[in-house]
Amino acid sequence: MSFSHLAALLDPAGRYVVAFSGGLDSTVLLHQLVCWQQQHSQLSVRALHVHHGLSPHADRWAAHCRQQCQRWHIACDVLPVTVDARAGGVEASARRERYQALFARLQPDEQLLTAQHLDDQCETLLLALKRGSGPAGLAAMPPRRTVQGHEHLRPLLSLSREQLEQWAAEHQLSWIEDESNDDSRYDRNFLRQQIMPLLHQRWPHFSAASARSAALCAEQEQLLDELLQQELSQLLTPQGALHFPPLQSMSEARRNALLRRWIAGQGGAMPSRAALQRISTEVIASRSDAQPALQLGNFTLRRYRNALYWLPPQPSLRDQACCWPQLTQPLVLPGGVGQLLADFSRAELRLPAADETAHVRFQARGYYHLLGRAGGREMKKLWQELAIPPWQRERIPLIYYNHTLICAPGLFVTHEGAACSDRGWQAIWHQPDREKVS
């Protein structure tokens, strides 16, 4: 076997990380890279082994992977993860935790390699058929994709399991066998053990033909991406929300195609046809004064002022409070919403009096007089005037002096908090990108 499948996808001077389970597939992939590295000395390869803790043999598998990598002079790190079967089942949860752990350990210039092969691609397509997937699902696994700024590559997709077995036998490789692969209660194992042998007995080239069908579906999806990209970009707000009124006059097919691409761009899984129908009827078509929230996996789809928002889990901070005794020191905020800094070069806020201490809270009630506005306003009305969606309001830091509201950084200053001389300061809120308030 030549290394043409590697050369077609990999840079001989690239930096690659192999997801190394210790099974046949990843063992062959890592060994091929070790051999290819002998021809390309600039190639950088290391391995990551995910320890799921699901098997009583998991510790032994991790030790095997370390020992194998030592023999091949490859660095190997073991990543322990916790699999919660309640989150979509064991298979889905293990996959999600595995990829999350792998991508979190990549360096900025590294790319992830996984060892899915031709038969895996066929199984993936059959599972997509079982789910009633459309062209995007039937495209199965792409040889290349980008996740969190890293390339994820699958160099073995053109090779069958039989070819991998031949390589392993020729080079006398050893690998581990996961006993869970024999459990036909899992859909993929059922296909592998009971369906695929019959298909290959009847049609020996079934996997290759399935891969061609998947590639054709992928081409169609890529074409749709290109045709719809400009239209989708015109519907996006600066915060990535989707301005939906134009969707209401479109055909269902076009509307669903745009929704799918928007959700994919937000990092969501491909929605089912039923989920898209619920988005249209329960969210887009809801009353203008409604606040619908549709749970889709770990995310929530919400509507606010003619825009759809795709939100990760966001716990409310309304009951949180923290003291800021030294304004000269940054204050790290709870809930991952960033930090506050005091800038004394601009006198926007008055300094606290001797009997006052700065505090940060995440809720306010009552009427407030804002600098630059006549009369008082109820807090709920202020948020509406500022176009702050309801779910963001309890994650915005509000600065108090004792029990007096002073400001919401970058949004408003109260009359009680305004500086009346050139002695004062400005509150700067550094927010993570995902938390930025419009």
Side-chain angles (χ1 to χ4, degrees), residues 89-101:
V90 173
E91 286 181 288
S93 179
R95 182 182 186 279
R96 182 172 55 251
E97 295 297 332
R98 177 166 63 252
Y99 277 114
Q100 182 175 330

Side-chain angles (χ1 to χ4, degrees), residues 165-435:
E165 291 173 341
Q166 291 172 354
W167 177 280
E170 179 182 348
H171 296 275
Q172 298 182 329
L173 302 182
S174 62
W175 61 90
I176 60 176
E177 294 286 356
D178 186 343
E179 73 278 359
S180 69
N181 290 336
D182 296 327
D183 190 343
S184 61
R185 291 177 300 175
Y186 298 123
D187 289 343
R188 190 173 288 271
N189 291 344
F190 170 73
L191 286 175
R192 188 172 300 161
Q193 295 168 18
Q194 301 189 37
I195 304 302
M196 295 295 290
L198 292 175
L199 291 174
H200 285 141
Q201 181 180 353
R202 175 82 178 197
W203 302 295
H205 303 294
F206 185 83
S207 290
S210 297
R212 288 196 297 273
S213 294
L216 290 171
C217 288
E219 286 183 9
Q220 294 299 310
E221 282 298 292
Q222 182 180 349
L223 177 60
L224 277 177
D225 287 342
E226 294 173 1
L227 294 174
L228 294 175
Q229 180 56 46
Q230 182 176 358
E231 185 174 6
L232 178 60
S233 63
Q234 293 172 346
L235 297 175
L236 296 180
T237 71
Q239 294 75 39
L242 183 69
H243 181 67
F244 65 77
L247 299 181
Q248 295 174 290
S249 61
M250 295 179 185
S251 67
E252 181 181 10
R254 193 177 193 89
R255 179 172 64 248
N256 287 348
L258 287 166
L259 284 171
R260 286 192 188 98
R261 280 153 183 81
W262 173 66
I263 291 173
Q266 298 295 307
M270 187 60 60
S272 66
R273 188 178 182 86
L276 292 170
Q277 183 65 29
R278 293 187 66 191
I279 292 173
S280 295
T281 58
E282 298 177 26
V283 183
I284 292 178
S286 62
R287 299 189 323 270
S288 58
D289 61 343
Q291 296 184 11
L294 180 61
Q295 192 73 29
L296 295 171
N298 292 326
F299 294 86
T300 303
L301 183 77
R302 301 196 65 161
R303 163 183 168 163
Y304 182 70
R305 293 193 175 183
N306 289 333
L308 300 179
Y309 293 79
W310 185 261
L311 304 172
Q314 290 183 313
S316 170
L317 300 177
R318 62 176 301 165
D319 297 324
Q320 299 283 334
C322 45
C323 183
W324 195 2
Q326 297 294 331
L327 296 180
T328 55
Q329 299 296 319
L331 178 67
V332 177
L333 298 168
V337 296
Q339 66 175 349
L340 291 177
L341 301 174
D343 178 4
F344 295 96
S345 66
R346 180 179 175 185
E348 180 181 77
L349 306 173
R350 68 177 177 85
L351 294 170
D355 60 346
E356 291 179 322
T357 302
H359 295 267
V360 174
R361 299 170 190 155
F362 294 88
Q363 65 170 322
R365 295 174 180 168
Y367 283 78
Y368 297 93
H369 293 263
L370 302 192
L371 192 64
R373 299 192 186 190
R377 286 171 173 78
E378 187 182 1
M379 196 67 200
K380 181 179 179 179
K381 295 294 184 182
L382 289 176
W383 289 135
Q384 292 173 350
E385 291 178 15
L386 292 166
I388 305 297
W391 59 89
Q392 288 186 352
R393 297 171 189 175
E394 294 175 352
R395 295 177 65 80
I396 295 176
L398 302 173
I399 298 176
Y400 287 77
Y401 290 166
N402 294 347
H403 298 289
T404 301
L405 178 62
I406 301 302
C407 77
L411 296 174
F412 62 77
V413 176
T414 65
H415 277 282
E416 295 82 357
C420 53
S421 69
D422 59 358
R423 294 187 67 251
W425 64 293
Q426 180 184 22
I428 307 297
W429 180 19
H430 287 301
Q431 309 172 57
D433 288 340
R434 67 180 185 279
E435 291 280 349

